[in-house]
């Protein structure tokens, strides 16, 4: 059997909270218990929001939790050329098209009843069939496009590779039972693969790096469950290996509300300054009894 590689992949645009601690500890302990390797990856492609002080705080908080990880740590903003190279492979298959639509335009032209799994309006295809002259005119004006996946074409390309087999990903539940889950990437519509403002997107960077780092088990919160379907599609289109997935429960307030990074909810730093220990955090997120 391949040796196990897990990762914790935070975005340094805020402080870590108890929910991140659950993701990090699950990934860390799984690797440790199976003689595998645990990686931390800094997902800072959102260069407008990522801040070096948050990167430092992530390392400090993870060390406080008692975790250790391999060095050097992969920092995504240092690898934009690799994400563009992967996007080029999709362009060569005729699967990406430039889109100049603004958020406002998309909101105004999309069907309010149709949203992607993140709750954003489903892109109504405005630029999918745009005449090349229109595209060239915008480029000549100095406008930068996003590159979107032509989802219908991508579904056909996947089917051509898989034949009759459905596109699935493998989810391992908390009891270690594996099941095949229908990927349903079409729920994301013509997703952005290369953003306007940075030469990458979350979905593209994550599949490139999970493959490059030999990640065998993607463990992360349940809020990214639907993302696995689109990521699985990109893996097939880019000939990347398929990791196993485990999406764990989210840490919530006692009344069921989700934690929020921006409000500093259950921030590890705040818990620590209130005198909590790493074991108190493990207890609070249900990893040890008592
Ligand atoms: N960087 C993502 C986040 O902080 C997580 C990515 C992943 O685990 O796939 O939400």
């Amino acid at each position: 059997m391949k040796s196990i590689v897990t990762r914790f992949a935070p975005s340094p645009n805020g402080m870590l909270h108890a929910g991140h601690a659950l993701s990090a500890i699950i990934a860390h302990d799984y690797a440790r218990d199976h003689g595998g390797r645990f990686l931390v990856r800094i997902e800072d492609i959102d260069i407008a929001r990522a801040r070096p002080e948050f990167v430092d705080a992530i390392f400090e908080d993870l060390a406080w939790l008692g975790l250790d990880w391999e060095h050097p740590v992969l920092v995504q903003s240092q690898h934009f050329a690799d994400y563009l190279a992967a996007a080029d492979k999709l362009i060569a298959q005729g699967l990406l098209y430039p889109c100049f639509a603004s958020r406002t335009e998309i909101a105004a032209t999309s069907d309010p009843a149709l949203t992607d799994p993140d709750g954003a309006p489903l892109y109504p295809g405005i630029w999918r069939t745009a005449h090349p002259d229109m595209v060239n005119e915008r480029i000549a004006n100095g406008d930068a496009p996003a590159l979107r996946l032509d989802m219908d074409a991508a579904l056909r390309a996947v089917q051509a590779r898989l034949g009759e087999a459905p596109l699935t990903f493998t989810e391992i539940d908390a009891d270690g039972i594996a099941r095949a889950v229908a990927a349903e990437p079409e729920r994301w519509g013509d997703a952005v693969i290369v953003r306007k403002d940075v030469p990458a997107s979350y979905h593209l960077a994550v599949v490139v790096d999970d493959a490059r780092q030999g990640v065998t088990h993607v463990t992360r919160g349940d809020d990214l469950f639907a993302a696995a379907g689109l990521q699985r599609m990109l893996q097939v289109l880019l000939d990347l290996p398929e990791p196993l997935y485990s999406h764990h429960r989210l840490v919530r307030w006692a009344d069921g509300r989700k934690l929020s990074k921006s409000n500093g909810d259950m921030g590890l730093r705040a818990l620590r300054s209130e005198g909590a220990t790493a074991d108190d955090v493990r207890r609070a997120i249900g990893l040890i009894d008592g």
Side-chain angles (χ1 to χ4, degrees), residues 25-271:
I25 294 172
I26 288 176
H28 171 272
D29 290 4
Y30 193 83
R32 183 198 57 199
D33 296 346
H34 294 83
R37 297 163 50 210
F38 170 62
L39 312 177
V40 173
R41 181 166 76 221
I42 299 297
E43 299 211 323
D44 61 345
I45 62 162
D46 198 344
I47 41 183
R49 290 172 68 214
R51 300 227 302 262
E53 56 270 34
F54 291 134
V55 177
D56 295 341
I58 287 168
F59 294 143
E60 199 182 307
D61 289 349
L62 294 177
W64 174 69
L65 285 172
L67 309 188
D68 46 44
W69 58 92
E70 286 189 7
H71 291 86
V73 163
L74 191 150
V75 177
Q76 287 190 325
S77 60
Q78 294 169 4
H79 295 277
F80 284 127
D82 299 327
Y83 311 131
L84 280 185
D88 278 344
K89 290 190 186 158
L90 299 173
I91 293 172
Q93 296 173 58
L95 299 178
L96 300 188
Y97 65 89
C99 163
F100 296 88
S102 65
R103 247 177 238 266
T104 327
E105 259 174 280
I106 295 169
T109 52
S110 63
D111 178 343
L114 299 178
T115 53
D116 74 15
D118 281 344
L122 210 57
Y123 179 72
I126 317 172
W127 282 86
R128 192 187 302 127
T129 52
H131 193 278
D133 288 352
M134 265 174 79
V135 172
N136 291 334
E137 194 186 311
R138 294 293 288 259
I139 291 174
N141 280 343
D143 292 348
L147 296 180
R148 288 184 178 270
L149 189 63
D150 181 335
M151 182 52 75
D152 285 341
L155 286 166
R156 286 193 298 274
V158 165
Q159 231 44 71
R161 292 185 197 211
L162 299 184
E164 293 298 296
L167 181 66
T168 59
F169 63 90
T170 305
E171 177 78 10
I172 315 277
D173 70 17
D175 297 320
I177 313 287
R179 69 188 161 101
V181 177
E184 300 178 339
E186 63 280 5
R187 292 178 64 201
W188 295 93
D190 288 1
V192 171
I193 299 299
V194 177
R195 288 164 41 157
K196 257 185 213 186
D197 54 341
V198 286
S201 65
Y202 159 61
H203 296 292
L204 184 65
V206 108
V207 298
V208 167
D209 287 338
D210 282 338
R212 164 215 320 262
Q213 297 188 286
V215 171
T216 58
H217 290 62
V218 172
T219 56
R220 58 188 180 192
D222 214 17
D223 49 344
L224 289 170
F225 188 85
L230 178 55
Q231 293 170 13
R232 182 70 203 117
M233 168 179 254
L234 294 178
Q235 287 156 2
V236 170
L237 296 172
L238 293 168
D239 290 317
L240 301 175
E242 178 183 4
L244 301 171
Y245 290 89
S246 286
H247 293 90
H248 59 74
R249 65 188 161 81
L250 296 179
V251 177
R252 293 178 184 276
W253 289 106
D255 63 6
R257 275 180 304 128
K258 269 175 80 167
L259 299 187
S260 120
K261 220 183 220 176
S262 47
N263 296 336
D265 281 354
M266 286 205 226
L268 296 181
R269 202 49 74 91
L271 293 171

